[in-house]
Amino acid sequence: MRCPFCGSENTSVKDSRSAEDNTAVRRRRVCESCGARFTTFERVQLREITVVKRDGKRVPFDRDRLTRSITIALRKRPVDRDQIDQMVSGIARNLESAGETEVSSNDVGEFAMEALRRVDPVVYVRFASVYKDFKDPNDFAQFIENTALDDEGDEE
């Protein structure tokens, strides 16, 4: 593993442990050249997933980008980093286990919204406002009303 600070390939693992609900291995490393310490994560990747954007552009699925989007939505809400990692791991597993090598950005967004809905209803609406491109306050009201109706149907 190359050191992110000096570029040396002379690094060693000091500690390994399970992470992200046992779906990853967290390794604490040290660079033998400059002494810097850093962390890496090792995950199983079942297949390469390509996300098809709304404009037709194809890009590789970026776990870090999804994590950033969810983290922004969760800003100033009582959700810890482990919950975010578990959400992202769950979304990635759903995408990989679907059996498709290409998924629409809409599918990724829907998986994210469903995960956020289970964690924090305020964040769910916050994320939806960006994802669904709300234009005015009536969009919020309509979305919340539709969500409340959906929830009532779930209880039957």
Side-chain angles (χ1 to χ4, degrees), residues 23-111:
T23 61
V25 176
R26 177 184 183 272
R27 298 194 194 285
R28 192 71 182 141
R29 298 177 178 269
V30 65
C31 176
E32 304 297 332
S33 299
C34 71
R37 293 179 176 267
F38 59 100
T39 302
T40 59
F41 290 86
E42 182 179 312
R43 293 178 188 85
V44 172
Q45 184 172 340
L46 298 176
R47 61 180 47 91
E48 290 287 328
I49 297 189
T50 301
V51 178
V52 181
K53 301 288 198 165
R54 290 180 180 143
D55 64 2
K57 184 178 173 186
R58 288 169 162 67
V59 297
F61 172 70
D62 186 347
R63 180 186 183 90
D64 292 334
R65 181 176 176 169
L66 179 60
T67 301
R68 281 191 307 274
S69 296
I70 289 174
T71 301
I72 289 168
L74 286 165
R75 191 170 289 150
K76 296 188 179 186
R77 298 299 296 167
V79 178
D80 64 25
R81 182 67 190 191
D82 286 341
Q83 285 180 287
I84 295 170
D85 290 340
Q86 287 176 5
M87 269 191 283
V88 172
S89 291
I91 293 166
R93 274 194 309 273
N94 285 337
L95 294 171
E96 290 174 347
S97 65
E100 301 294 327
T101 57
E102 289 190 344
V103 296
S104 72
S105 59
N106 187 53
D107 291 342
V108 177
E110 291 297 327
F111 280 129

